PDB file of all heavy atoms in Angstrom:
ATOM      1  N   TYR F   6     -16.664 -19.188  -6.738  1.00 75.00           N
ATOM      2  CA  TYR F   6     -15.836 -18.253  -7.486  1.00 75.00           C
ATOM      3  C   TYR F   6     -16.721 -17.467  -8.433  1.00 75.00           C
ATOM      4  O   TYR F   6     -17.625 -18.025  -9.061  1.00 75.00           O
ATOM      5  CB  TYR F   6     -14.762 -18.999  -8.288  1.00 75.00           C
ATOM      6  CG  TYR F   6     -14.036 -18.120  -9.276  1.00 75.00           C
ATOM      7  CD1 TYR F   6     -13.114 -17.181  -8.839  1.00 75.00           C
ATOM      8  CD2 TYR F   6     -14.296 -18.197 -10.630  1.00 75.00           C
ATOM      9  CE1 TYR F   6     -12.474 -16.356  -9.737  1.00 75.00           C
ATOM     10  CE2 TYR F   6     -13.652 -17.382 -11.528  1.00 75.00           C
ATOM     11  CZ  TYR F   6     -12.740 -16.459 -11.085  1.00 75.00           C
ATOM     12  OH  TYR F   6     -12.098 -15.630 -11.959  1.00 75.00           O
ATOM     13  N   LYS F   7     -16.452 -16.176  -8.520  1.00 78.00           N
ATOM     14  CA  LYS F   7     -17.195 -15.330  -9.446  1.00 78.00           C
ATOM     15  C   LYS F   7     -16.182 -14.517 -10.235  1.00 78.00           C
ATOM     16  O   LYS F   7     -15.304 -13.863  -9.651  1.00 78.00           O
ATOM     17  CB  LYS F   7     -18.147 -14.413  -8.688  1.00 78.00           C
ATOM     18  CG  LYS F   7     -19.043 -13.613  -9.586  1.00 78.00           C
ATOM     19  CD  LYS F   7     -20.038 -12.792  -8.783  1.00 78.00           C
ATOM     20  CE  LYS F   7     -20.910 -12.007  -9.740  1.00 78.00           C
ATOM     21  NZ  LYS F   7     -21.837 -11.151  -9.022  1.00 78.00           N
ATOM     22  N   HIS F   8     -16.280 -14.570 -11.545  1.00 79.00           N
ATOM     23  CA  HIS F   8     -15.368 -13.838 -12.418  1.00 79.00           C
ATOM     24  C   HIS F   8     -15.519 -12.336 -12.182  1.00 79.00           C
ATOM     25  O   HIS F   8     -16.632 -11.827 -12.057  1.00 79.00           O
ATOM     26  CB  HIS F   8     -15.664 -14.179 -13.883  1.00 79.00           C
ATOM     27  CG  HIS F   8     -14.845 -13.392 -14.853  1.00 79.00           C
ATOM     28  ND1 HIS F   8     -13.491 -13.591 -14.999  1.00 79.00           N
ATOM     29  CD2 HIS F   8     -15.187 -12.396 -15.698  1.00 79.00           C
ATOM     30  CE1 HIS F   8     -13.030 -12.753 -15.915  1.00 79.00           C
ATOM     31  NE2 HIS F   8     -14.047 -12.023 -16.356  1.00 79.00           N
ATOM     32  N   LYS F   9     -14.401 -11.633 -12.130  1.00 82.00           N
ATOM     33  CA  LYS F   9     -14.404 -10.180 -11.949  1.00 82.00           C
ATOM     34  C   LYS F   9     -14.101  -9.538 -13.304  1.00 82.00           C
ATOM     35  O   LYS F   9     -12.967  -9.609 -13.782  1.00 82.00           O
ATOM     36  CB  LYS F   9     -13.361  -9.766 -10.921  1.00 82.00           C
ATOM     37  CG  LYS F   9     -13.606 -10.336  -9.550  1.00 82.00           C
ATOM     38  CD  LYS F   9     -12.482  -9.980  -8.610  1.00 82.00           C
ATOM     39  CE  LYS F   9     -12.666 -10.649  -7.270  1.00 82.00           C
ATOM     40  NZ  LYS F   9     -11.547 -10.405  -6.368  1.00 82.00           N
ATOM     41  N   PRO F  10     -15.101  -8.932 -13.940  1.00 83.00           N
ATOM     42  CA  PRO F  10     -14.860  -8.338 -15.258  1.00 83.00           C
ATOM     43  C   PRO F  10     -13.875  -7.165 -15.177  1.00 83.00           C
ATOM     44  O   PRO F  10     -13.870  -6.412 -14.205  1.00 83.00           O
ATOM     45  CB  PRO F  10     -16.244  -7.874 -15.720  1.00 83.00           C
ATOM     46  CG  PRO F  10     -17.106  -7.880 -14.514  1.00 83.00           C
ATOM     47  CD  PRO F  10     -16.475  -8.780 -13.501  1.00 83.00           C
ATOM     48  N   ASN F  11     -13.044  -7.037 -16.188  1.00 87.00           N
ATOM     49  CA  ASN F  11     -12.035  -5.965 -16.285  1.00 87.00           C
ATOM     50  C   ASN F  11     -11.101  -5.927 -15.077  1.00 87.00           C
ATOM     51  O   ASN F  11     -10.662  -4.857 -14.661  1.00 87.00           O
ATOM     52  CB  ASN F  11     -12.696  -4.602 -16.480  1.00 87.00           C
ATOM     53  CG  ASN F  11     -13.525  -4.537 -17.731  1.00 87.00           C
ATOM     54  OD1 ASN F  11     -13.166  -5.120 -18.750  1.00 87.00           O
ATOM     55  ND2 ASN F  11     -14.651  -3.856 -17.660  1.00 87.00           N
ATOM     56  N   SER F  12     -10.806  -7.057 -14.519  1.00 88.00           N
ATOM     57  CA  SER F  12      -9.983  -7.130 -13.313  1.00 88.00           C
ATOM     58  C   SER F  12      -8.592  -6.531 -13.528  1.00 88.00           C
ATOM     59  O   SER F  12      -8.114  -5.744 -12.706  1.00 88.00           O
ATOM     60  CB  SER F  12      -9.858  -8.578 -12.856  1.00 88.00           C
ATOM     61  OG  SER F  12      -8.870  -8.700 -11.864  1.00 88.00           O
ATOM     62  N   LEU F  13      -7.958  -6.907 -14.620  1.00 90.00           N
ATOM     63  CA  LEU F  13      -6.596  -6.424 -14.861  1.00 90.00           C
ATOM     64  C   LEU F  13      -6.567  -4.911 -15.021  1.00 90.00           C
ATOM     65  O   LEU F  13      -5.706  -4.236 -14.442  1.00 90.00           O
ATOM     66  CB  LEU F  13      -6.003  -7.096 -16.108  1.00 90.00           C
ATOM     67  CG  LEU F  13      -5.853  -8.610 -16.058  1.00 90.00           C
ATOM     68  CD1 LEU F  13      -5.301  -9.127 -17.374  1.00 90.00           C
ATOM     69  CD2 LEU F  13      -4.965  -9.023 -14.917  1.00 90.00           C
ATOM     70  N   GLU F  14      -7.495  -4.375 -15.791  1.00 91.00           N
ATOM     71  CA  GLU F  14      -7.531  -2.931 -16.036  1.00 91.00           C
ATOM     72  C   GLU F  14      -7.825  -2.158 -14.747  1.00 91.00           C
ATOM     73  O   GLU F  14      -7.178  -1.151 -14.450  1.00 91.00           O
ATOM     74  CB  GLU F  14      -8.574  -2.587 -17.110  1.00 91.00           C
ATOM     75  CG  GLU F  14      -8.217  -3.067 -18.495  1.00 91.00           C
ATOM     76  CD  GLU F  14      -8.518  -4.543 -18.748  1.00 91.00           C
ATOM     77  OE1 GLU F  14      -9.179  -5.199 -17.891  1.00 91.00           O
ATOM     78  OE2 GLU F  14      -8.067  -5.053 -19.797  1.00 91.00           O
ATOM     79  N   ARG F  15      -8.813  -2.631 -13.988  1.00 93.00           N
ATOM     80  CA  ARG F  15      -9.154  -1.954 -12.735  1.00 93.00           C
ATOM     81  C   ARG F  15      -8.007  -2.008 -11.736  1.00 93.00           C
ATOM     82  O   ARG F  15      -7.685  -1.018 -11.085  1.00 93.00           O
ATOM     83  CB  ARG F  15     -10.425  -2.562 -12.117  1.00 93.00           C
ATOM     84  CG  ARG F  15     -11.679  -1.862 -12.558  1.00 93.00           C
ATOM     85  CD  ARG F  15     -12.924  -2.334 -11.836  1.00 93.00           C
ATOM     86  NE  ARG F  15     -13.262  -3.681 -12.289  1.00 93.00           N
ATOM     87  CZ  ARG F  15     -13.376  -4.718 -11.483  1.00 93.00           C
ATOM     88  NH1 ARG F  15     -13.216  -4.595 -10.201  1.00 93.00           N
ATOM     89  NH2 ARG F  15     -13.669  -5.901 -11.969  1.00 93.00           N
ATOM     90  N   THR F  16      -7.386  -3.174 -11.621  1.00 94.00           N
ATOM     91  CA  THR F  16      -6.281  -3.322 -10.677  1.00 94.00           C
ATOM     92  C   THR F  16      -5.106  -2.436 -11.081  1.00 94.00           C
ATOM     93  O   THR F  16      -4.481  -1.802 -10.225  1.00 94.00           O
ATOM     94  CB  THR F  16      -5.847  -4.799 -10.574  1.00 94.00           C
ATOM     95  OG1 THR F  16      -6.986  -5.585 -10.242  1.00 94.00           O
ATOM     96  CG2 THR F  16      -4.795  -4.980  -9.501  1.00 94.00           C
ATOM     97  N   LEU F  17      -4.807  -2.372 -12.370  1.00 94.00           N
ATOM     98  CA  LEU F  17      -3.736  -1.484 -12.841  1.00 94.00           C
ATOM     99  C   LEU F  17      -4.078  -0.016 -12.576  1.00 94.00           C
ATOM    100  O   LEU F  17      -3.212   0.762 -12.159  1.00 94.00           O
ATOM    101  CB  LEU F  17      -3.471  -1.699 -14.330  1.00 94.00           C
ATOM    102  CG  LEU F  17      -2.499  -2.800 -14.678  1.00 94.00           C
ATOM    103  CD1 LEU F  17      -2.471  -3.055 -16.179  1.00 94.00           C
ATOM    104  CD2 LEU F  17      -1.107  -2.475 -14.170  1.00 94.00           C
ATOM    105  N   ALA F  18      -5.328   0.364 -12.826  1.00 95.00           N
ATOM    106  CA  ALA F  18      -5.740   1.745 -12.572  1.00 95.00           C
ATOM    107  C   ALA F  18      -5.595   2.096 -11.088  1.00 95.00           C
ATOM    108  O   ALA F  18      -5.068   3.159 -10.736  1.00 95.00           O
ATOM    109  CB  ALA F  18      -7.184   1.964 -13.030  1.00 95.00           C
TER     110      ALA F  18
END
Side-chain angles (χ1 to χ4, degrees):
Y6 169 73
K7 186 176 180 183
H8 176 70
K9 298 175 185 176
N11 300 324
S12 169
L13 298 178
E14 291 81 9
R15 268 187 289 123
T16 305
L17 274 172

